[in-house]
């Protein structure tokens, strides 16, 4: 790791001011950034320590606004928070299956949403892949077992976050603060497919920070589930994950939000599948056709065809599980 | 997006890039180190303080051998900057045995034969220590979860789980006594 200046900002405003200077990076838990620095994928000259901003570490809830979660809140705090477990268990589930206990004690929700992709070509310093400013996404023709089956061009890396699909299913937004602007955007606006002029998976500018994640109040009777398929039981990134949040009118679906992880460069919401379950009591048949609709247009690369069957099975299982619970 | 209101800029603290004094509180003792900002807590412990109990294996958060306890929580010291640990309480495996007597966890690891090569053991024990400090009555699942961020390449897991449960028993009986 190259050496750097370590900066403790007194407040948020100075933090974003500092980030406006080239070669400056923010560090929260450091669980993603430090490995990148060790392998010299990034060599910032200055690190701005967000952990000094105690004012960004909070978890609030009220009946009007729902949840407001400060960006510095750790995954462990989210996983163990009683109110989150009771009111939006889908988020506690997603946090509890991310990474490992140690990493959850360190990693923050803000860093989780802004983490880099795990694609091995991206992570290997010797490949100057498209995402790092090169010409080629080596994974499209190369080793792509863990890569995208949807929207896989110009870069087929998938966004690795477990929290993002769950938060998107909850209709969450992020509050962003920059040097002269601030505002709130939905996660659907926050995550964007990378393009030549913006080679990253978010709209975040170099001198902008997420300060808060907001989860709106849910409609009366609502339930959700996060399912994650992994190579091993724990401490692995999702091969595929699915987050489903349903609002109910007794046993009928009033509305559903269905989001897939591990299939596209960004958390992938599937409106076609949501449409199929709307106003229905979920039967096996309906769950099956929703799962088919969710994967419509999926195009496997050489090594990741298994993801299609896996994703369909997870969507179906998630819907059936929620329907079973709704009957009780 | 709305325009943010500007107020007067408060002062920032800049340290490094060269070596500078860093104060750590390790195993209830104060230390002053001279290190660069890039020094990880793991290297500070091993190279500057000679505390080699925490092991350096992957150096990237994928093995758990470097686990230490910071302010009561197990973390990977290889992904923690030493400079960011000032004013925190750091516990390493070296602090477990007291006055020549082994900690209940160490005793239980021996009794249950919970290691083969022993390389992962300090990390496993620190994860379990953090668990037992918080929850004296863990279930088997609690123990499994507590060490789910610690790889054992020798595959001693069943014995590690048993050692965790036995250590809890030892600690409870000591308290009761
Ligand atoms: C071995 C391993 C396994 C993992 N497994 C999983 C997993 O299964 N699921 C999962 O979801 N994640 C996983 N992770 C990723 C883990 O790094 C994140 O979960 C963690 O939450 C990142 O948060 P952090 O605070 O440590 O981020 P940092 O490393 O501090 O920051 C990451 C990036 O985000 C930026 N950043 C940080 N905070 C903000 C902010 N508030 N606003 C704007 N930018 C910001 C930083 O500049 C940096 O570029 C794993 C990581 C490792 C090393
Ligand atoms: S050395 Fe830190 S996790 Fe492997
Ligand atoms: S005892 Fe050898 S790695 Fe665990």
């Amino acid at each position: 790791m190259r050496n750097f200046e370590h900066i403790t900002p007194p407040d948020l405003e100075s933090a974003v001011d500092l980030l406006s200077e080239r070669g400056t990076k923010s560090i929260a838990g450091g669980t993603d950034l430090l490995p990148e620095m060790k392998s010299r994928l990034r060599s910032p000259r200055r690190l701005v320590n967000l952990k000094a901003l105690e004012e960004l570490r909070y978890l609030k809830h009220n009946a009007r606004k729902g949840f407001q979660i400060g960006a510095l809140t750790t995954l462990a705090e989210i996983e163990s928070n009683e109110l989150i477990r009771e009111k939006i268990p889908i988020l506690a589930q997603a946090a509890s299956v991310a990474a490992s206990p140690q990493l959850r004690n360190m990693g923050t929700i803000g860093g989780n949403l802004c983490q880099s992709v795990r694609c091995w070509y991206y992570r290997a310093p010797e490949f100057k892949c498209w995402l790092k400013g090169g010409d080629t996404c080596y994974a499209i023709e190369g080793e792509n077992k863990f890569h995208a089956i949807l929207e896989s061009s110009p870069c087929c890396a998938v966004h690795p976050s477990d929290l993002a699909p769950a938060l998107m299913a909850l209709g969450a937004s992020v509050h962003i603060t920059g040097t002269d602007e601030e505002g709130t955007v939905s996660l659907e606006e926050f995550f964007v497919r990378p393009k030549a002029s913006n080679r990253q998976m978010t709209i975040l500018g170099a001198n902008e920070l997420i300060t808060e994640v907001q989860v709106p109040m849910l409609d009366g009777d609502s339930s959700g589930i996060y399912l994650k398929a992994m190579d091993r039981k724990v401490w692995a990134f999702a091969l595929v994950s699915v987050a489903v949040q349903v609002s109910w009118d007794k046993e009928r679906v009033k509305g559903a939000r269905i989001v897939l992880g591990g299939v596209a460069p960004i958390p992938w919401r599937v409106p076609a599948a949501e449409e199929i379950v709307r106003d229905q009591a979920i039967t096996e048949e309906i769950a099956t056709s929703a799962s088919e609709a969710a994967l419509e247009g999926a195009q496997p690369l050489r090594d990741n065809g298994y993801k299609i069957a896996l994703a369909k099975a997870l969507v179906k299982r998630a819907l059936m599980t929620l329907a079973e619970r709704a009957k009780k | 997006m709305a325009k943010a209101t500007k107020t007067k800029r408060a002062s920032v603290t800049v340290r490094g890039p060269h070596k500078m004094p860093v104060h750590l509180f390790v195993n209830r003792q104060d230390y002053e180190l001279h290190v660069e900002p890039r020094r990880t807590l793991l290297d500070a412990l091993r190279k500057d303080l000679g505390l080699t109990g925490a092991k350096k294996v992957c150096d990237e958060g994928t093995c758990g051998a470097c686990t230490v306890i910071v302010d009561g929580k197990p973390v990977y010291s290889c992904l923690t900057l030493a400079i960011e640990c000032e004013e925190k309480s750091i516990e390493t495996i070296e602090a477990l045995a007291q006055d020549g007597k082994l900690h209940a966890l160490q005793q239980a690891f021996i009794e249950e034969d919970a290691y083969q090569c022993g390389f992962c053991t300090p990390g496993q024990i620190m994860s379990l220590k953090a668990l037992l400090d918080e929850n004296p009555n863990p279930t088997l699942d609690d123990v499994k979860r507590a060490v789910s961020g610690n790889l054992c390449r020798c595959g001693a897991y069943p014995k590690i789980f048993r050692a965790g449960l036995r250590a809890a028993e030892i600690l409870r009986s000591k308290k009761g006594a």
Side-chain angles (χ1 to χ4, degrees):
Chain A
M1 173 161 47
R2 293 222 169 81
N3 215 354
F4 50 83
E5 279 179 350
H6 187 269
I7 305 184
T8 307
D11 50 37
L12 177 62
E13 199 196 332
S14 348
V16 290
D17 273 354
L18 286 159
L19 287 169
S20 309
E21 197 174 305
R22 271 181 73 99
T24 310
K25 244 339 232 172
S26 64
I27 179 167
T31 59
D32 188 45
L33 183 64
L34 291 177
E36 282 195 312
M37 288 171 60
K38 287 183 184 197
S39 60
R40 306 228 167 154
L41 272 185
R42 289 180 202 274
S43 297
R45 281 184 291 112
R46 313 197 301 171
L47 280 193
V48 177
N49 182 15
L50 301 183
K51 287 186 292 301
L53 304 174
E54 270 300 319
E55 68 263 36
L56 294 188
R57 193 162 178 170
Y58 56 82
L59 220 161
K60 292 189 238 171
H61 175 260
N62 75 49
R64 201 168 44 86
K65 290 191 183 155
F67 282 89
Q68 294 158 284
I69 307 174
L72 265 284
T73 309
T74 64
L75 304 192
E77 285 161 351
I78 289 167
E79 167 189 13
S80 61
N81 182 274
E82 287 304 327
L83 271 173
I84 289 190
R85 294 166 77 112
E86 181 199 321
K87 300 200 181 298
I88 44 172
I90 186 173
L91 183 59
Q93 282 163 20
S96 72
V97 294
S100 71
Q102 290 91 324
L103 289 164
R104 295 194 290 272
N105 284 333
M106 306 163 76
T108 63
I109 188 169
N112 187 276
L113 298 178
C114 299
Q115 62 180 299
S116 301
V117 300
R118 306 305 297 192
C119 169
W120 33 46
Y121 297 102
Y122 172 81
R123 294 270 163 176
E126 54 277 28
F127 286 95
K128 188 165 191 229
C129 72
W130 181 86
L131 197 57
K132 288 188 283 193
D135 302 324
T136 314
C137 171
Y138 296 100
I140 292 178
E141 299 278 312
E143 299 288 330
N144 46 35
K145 181 173 169 203
F146 300 123
H147 292 72
I149 49 176
L150 284 151
E151 308 289 335
S152 49
S153 170
C155 161
C156 65
V158 295
H159 197 276
S161 166
D162 282 306
L163 272 61
L167 285 167
M168 202 182 267
L170 288 166
S173 307
V174 287
H175 189 81
I176 298 174
T177 299
T179 27
D180 23 61
E181 279 192 312
E182 63 176 307
T184 304
V185 296
S186 70
L187 280 187
E188 277 119 309
E189 299 165 282
F190 178 72
F191 288 111
V192 288
R193 290 175 50 202
K195 51 178 197 240
S197 56
N198 182 42
R199 296 191 189 205
Q200 57 176 23
M201 276 68 169
T202 72
I203 58 166
L204 207 65
N207 60 353
E208 291 179 328
L209 289 172
I210 294 183
T211 52
E212 183 176 272
V213 176
Q214 302 168 352
V215 181
M217 272 305 286
L218 294 172
D219 226 18
D221 185 10
S222 180
S223 63
I225 189 168
Y226 183 73
L227 299 177
K228 175 182 184 185
M230 291 180 263
D231 251 0
R232 57 183 187 195
K233 262 190 177 167
V234 291
W235 200 5
F237 287 93
L239 298 170
V240 174
S241 68
V242 58
V244 181
Q245 188 72 34
V246 174
S247 65
W248 302 94
D249 177 8
K250 305 218 172 61
E251 285 171 34
R252 285 180 99 76
V253 176
K254 259 200 293 188
R257 291 173 67 97
I258 305 177
V259 185
L260 298 172
V263 299
I266 54 175
W268 196 249
R269 193 173 164 200
V270 282
E274 295 171 3
E275 207 42 57
I276 288 177
V277 294
R278 190 185 321 279
D279 294 326
Q280 305 287 331
I282 294 174
T283 57
E284 183 159 0
E285 214 184 332
I286 286 175
T288 306
S289 48
S291 72
E292 297 289 339
L295 274 297
E296 208 171 272
Q299 290 215 323
L301 301 166
R302 193 189 67 199
D303 304 327
N304 66 4
Y306 73 95
K307 283 195 176 188
I308 295 182
L310 191 55
K312 282 184 187 167
L314 287 187
V315 172
K316 186 172 167 192
R317 186 188 300 172
L319 287 169
M320 294 303 289
T321 309
L322 290 177
E324 277 304 310
R325 286 189 204 151
K327 282 186 200 146
K328 283 179 192 150
Chain B
M1 295 208 293
K3 186 107 176 120
T5 42
K6 287 257 173 190
T7 49
K8 212 174 99 235
R9 184 163 158 177
S11 71
V12 298
T13 315
V14 182
R15 296 171 77 193
H18 304 297
K19 284 192 182 181
M20 63 197 151
V22 168
H23 297 267
L24 293 183
F25 185 63
V26 185
N27 301 334
R28 294 179 289 280
Q29 228 177 299
D30 277 311
Y31 295 92
E32 183 179 293
L33 285 58
H34 287 264
V35 295
E36 295 168 337
R38 64 176 157 182
R39 196 63 148 178
T40 61
L41 177 60
L42 178 60
D43 283 340
L45 292 169
R46 293 179 58 86
K47 297 185 181 166
D48 300 306
L49 300 181
L51 298 170
T52 54
K55 299 286 179 269
K56 184 164 174 173
V57 181
C58 70
D59 208 23
E60 57 173 30
T62 58
C63 78
C66 65
T67 302
V68 301
I69 299 179
V70 176
D71 283 350
K73 308 270 183 221
V75 300
Y76 296 143
S77 57
C78 70
L79 295 187
T80 303
L81 295 174
I83 186 176
E84 294 182 358
C85 292
E86 291 189 309
E87 288 162 44
K88 297 193 171 172
S89 172
I90 300 156
E91 274 176 85
T92 72
I93 187 86
E94 282 87 354
L96 259 61
Q98 295 277 318
D99 308 321
K101 272 202 68 167
L102 293 182
H103 185 275
L105 273 162
Q106 295 168 310
Q107 196 185 323
F109 264 66
I110 295 172
E111 286 168 9
E112 294 290 350
D113 194 16
Y115 43 74
Q116 290 179 42
C117 76
F119 218 70
C120 70
T121 312
Q124 307 277 3
I125 291 187
M126 293 317 282
S127 289
L128 289 168
K129 164 102 178 14
L131 169 72
L132 298 185
D133 285 350
E134 222 179 85
N135 174 8
N137 291 300
T139 61
L140 175 61
D141 268 352
D142 296 335
V143 170
K144 283 188 182 174
R145 243 184 116 62
V147 293
S148 62
N150 293 84
L151 280 190
C152 174
R153 297 308 300 267
C154 300
Y157 297 109
K159 294 179 170 190
I160 294 170
F161 304 154
R162 284 210 290 276
L165 290 170
R166 181 190 281 240
E169 259 170 52
I170 301 175
L171 286 170
R172 284 196 301 266
S173 69
K174 274 190 187 158
K175 262 213 177 133

